[in-house]
PDB file of all heavy atoms in Angstrom:
ATOM      1  N   ALA A 466      11.329  -3.085   2.379  1.00  0.00           N
ATOM      2  CA  ALA A 466      12.492  -3.051   1.645  1.00  0.00           C
ATOM      3  C   ALA A 466      12.605  -1.990   0.635  1.00  0.00           C
ATOM      4  O   ALA A 466      13.535  -1.148   0.453  1.00  0.00           O
ATOM      5  CB  ALA A 466      12.806  -4.364   0.903  1.00  0.00           C
ATOM      6  N   ALA A 467      11.410  -1.800   0.111  1.00  0.00           N
ATOM      7  CA  ALA A 467      11.265  -0.598  -1.003  1.00  0.00           C
ATOM      8  C   ALA A 467      11.349   0.746  -0.267  1.00  0.00           C
ATOM      9  O   ALA A 467      11.998   1.661  -0.907  1.00  0.00           O
ATOM     10  CB  ALA A 467       9.918  -0.777  -1.675  1.00  0.00           C
ATOM     11  N   ASP A 468      10.863   0.860   0.900  1.00  0.00           N
ATOM     12  CA  ASP A 468      10.926   2.111   1.588  1.00  0.00           C
ATOM     13  C   ASP A 468      12.387   2.479   1.959  1.00  0.00           C
ATOM     14  O   ASP A 468      12.843   3.581   1.840  1.00  0.00           O
ATOM     15  CB  ASP A 468      10.119   2.053   2.963  1.00  0.00           C
ATOM     16  CG  ASP A 468       8.540   2.139   2.666  1.00  0.00           C
ATOM     17  OD1 ASP A 468       8.168   2.483   1.514  1.00  0.00           O
ATOM     18  OD2 ASP A 468       7.722   1.722   3.603  1.00  0.00           O
ATOM     19  N   SER A 469      13.059   1.252   2.370  1.00  0.00           N
ATOM     20  CA  SER A 469      14.595   1.601   2.723  1.00  0.00           C
ATOM     21  C   SER A 469      15.343   1.971   1.487  1.00  0.00           C
ATOM     22  O   SER A 469      16.168   2.943   1.589  1.00  0.00           O
ATOM     23  CB  SER A 469      15.084   0.361   3.331  1.00  0.00           C
ATOM     24  OG  SER A 469      14.417   0.020   4.534  1.00  0.00           O
ATOM     25  N   ARG A 470      14.984   1.471   0.309  1.00  0.00           N
ATOM     26  CA  ARG A 470      15.748   1.748  -0.855  1.00  0.00           C
ATOM     27  C   ARG A 470      15.382   3.139  -1.412  1.00  0.00           C
ATOM     28  O   ARG A 470      16.164   3.856  -2.035  1.00  0.00           O
ATOM     29  CB  ARG A 470      15.376   0.563  -1.898  1.00  0.00           C
ATOM     30  CG  ARG A 470      16.262   0.625  -3.105  1.00  0.00           C
ATOM     31  CD  ARG A 470      17.725   0.490  -2.913  1.00  0.00           C
ATOM     32  NE  ARG A 470      18.228  -0.796  -2.375  1.00  0.00           N
ATOM     33  CZ  ARG A 470      19.341  -1.199  -2.129  1.00  0.00           C
ATOM     34  NH1 ARG A 470      20.374  -0.440  -2.195  1.00  0.00           N
ATOM     35  NH2 ARG A 470      19.681  -2.389  -1.691  1.00  0.00           N
ATOM     36  N   LYS A 471      14.231   3.541  -1.285  1.00  0.00           N
ATOM     37  CA  LYS A 471      13.732   4.880  -1.637  1.00  0.00           C
ATOM     38  C   LYS A 471      14.561   5.922  -0.771  1.00  0.00           C
ATOM     39  O   LYS A 471      14.994   6.998  -1.344  1.00  0.00           O
ATOM     40  CB  LYS A 471      12.245   4.993  -1.307  1.00  0.00           C
ATOM     41  CG  LYS A 471      11.325   4.433  -2.408  1.00  0.00           C
ATOM     42  CD  LYS A 471       9.808   4.501  -2.026  1.00  0.00           C
ATOM     43  CE  LYS A 471       8.979   3.796  -2.949  1.00  0.00           C
ATOM     44  NZ  LYS A 471       7.592   3.759  -2.564  1.00  0.00           N
ATOM     45  N   ALA A 472      14.619   5.695   0.443  1.00  0.00           N
ATOM     46  CA  ALA A 472      15.363   6.634   1.318  1.00  0.00           C
ATOM     47  C   ALA A 472      16.950   6.676   0.915  1.00  0.00           C
ATOM     48  O   ALA A 472      17.472   7.755   0.828  1.00  0.00           O
ATOM     49  CB  ALA A 472      15.327   6.117   2.877  1.00  0.00           C
ATOM     50  N   GLU A 473      17.448   5.346   0.463  1.00  0.00           N
ATOM     51  CA  GLU A 473      18.855   5.461  -0.060  1.00  0.00           C
ATOM     52  C   GLU A 473      18.958   6.265  -1.298  1.00  0.00           C
ATOM     53  O   GLU A 473      19.816   7.013  -1.497  1.00  0.00           O
ATOM     54  CB  GLU A 473      19.306   3.972  -0.176  1.00  0.00           C
ATOM     55  CG  GLU A 473      20.774   3.975  -0.534  1.00  0.00           C
ATOM     56  CD  GLU A 473      21.272   2.722  -1.194  1.00  0.00           C
ATOM     57  OE1 GLU A 473      20.403   2.067  -1.867  1.00  0.00           O
ATOM     58  OE2 GLU A 473      22.426   2.257  -1.042  1.00  0.00           O
ATOM     59  N   LEU A 474      17.927   6.018  -2.171  1.00  0.00           N
ATOM     60  CA  LEU A 474      18.078   6.699  -3.587  1.00  0.00           C
ATOM     61  C   LEU A 474      17.948   8.302  -3.350  1.00  0.00           C
ATOM     62  O   LEU A 474      18.697   9.001  -3.850  1.00  0.00           O
ATOM     63  CB  LEU A 474      16.742   6.374  -4.418  1.00  0.00           C
ATOM     64  CG  LEU A 474      16.584   6.955  -5.749  1.00  0.00           C
ATOM     65  CD1 LEU A 474      17.872   6.697  -6.582  1.00  0.00           C
ATOM     66  CD2 LEU A 474      15.382   6.624  -6.395  1.00  0.00           C
ATOM     67  N   ASP A 475      17.114   8.725  -2.395  1.00  0.00           N
ATOM     68  CA  ASP A 475      17.107  10.136  -2.005  1.00  0.00           C
ATOM     69  C   ASP A 475      18.495  10.651  -1.611  1.00  0.00           C
ATOM     70  O   ASP A 475      18.878  11.790  -2.025  1.00  0.00           O
ATOM     71  CB  ASP A 475      16.058  10.532  -1.059  1.00  0.00           C
ATOM     72  CG  ASP A 475      14.609  10.316  -1.434  1.00  0.00           C
ATOM     73  OD1 ASP A 475      14.386  10.133  -2.604  1.00  0.00           O
ATOM     74  OD2 ASP A 475      13.707   9.992  -0.570  1.00  0.00           O
ATOM     75  N   GLU A 476      19.152   9.852  -0.916  1.00  0.00           N
ATOM     76  CA  GLU A 476      20.529  10.243  -0.406  1.00  0.00           C
ATOM     77  C   GLU A 476      21.513  10.118  -1.484  1.00  0.00           C
ATOM     78  O   GLU A 476      22.296  11.186  -1.660  1.00  0.00           O
ATOM     79  CB  GLU A 476      20.903   9.165   0.687  1.00  0.00           C
ATOM     80  CG  GLU A 476      22.238   9.456   1.428  1.00  0.00           C
ATOM     81  CD  GLU A 476      22.534   8.558   2.619  1.00  0.00           C
ATOM     82  OE1 GLU A 476      21.591   8.129   3.287  1.00  0.00           O
ATOM     83  OE2 GLU A 476      23.699   7.914   2.560  1.00  0.00           O
ATOM     84  N   LEU A 477      21.409   9.267  -2.460  1.00  0.00           N
ATOM     85  CA  LEU A 477      22.288   9.214  -3.632  1.00  0.00           C
ATOM     86  C   LEU A 477      22.208  10.531  -4.548  1.00  0.00           C
ATOM     87  O   LEU A 477      23.005  10.980  -5.068  1.00  0.00           O
ATOM     88  CB  LEU A 477      22.155   8.031  -4.532  1.00  0.00           C
ATOM     89  CG  LEU A 477      22.407   6.570  -3.842  1.00  0.00           C
ATOM     90  CD1 LEU A 477      22.130   5.446  -4.764  1.00  0.00           C
ATOM     91  CD2 LEU A 477      23.853   6.635  -3.536  1.00  0.00           C
TER      92      LEU A 477
END
Side-chain angles (χ1 to χ4, degrees):
D468 289 342
S469 297
R470 192 59 70 176
K471 285 174 185 173
E473 188 202 29
L474 177 61
D475 291 340
E476 190 178 309
L477 292 181

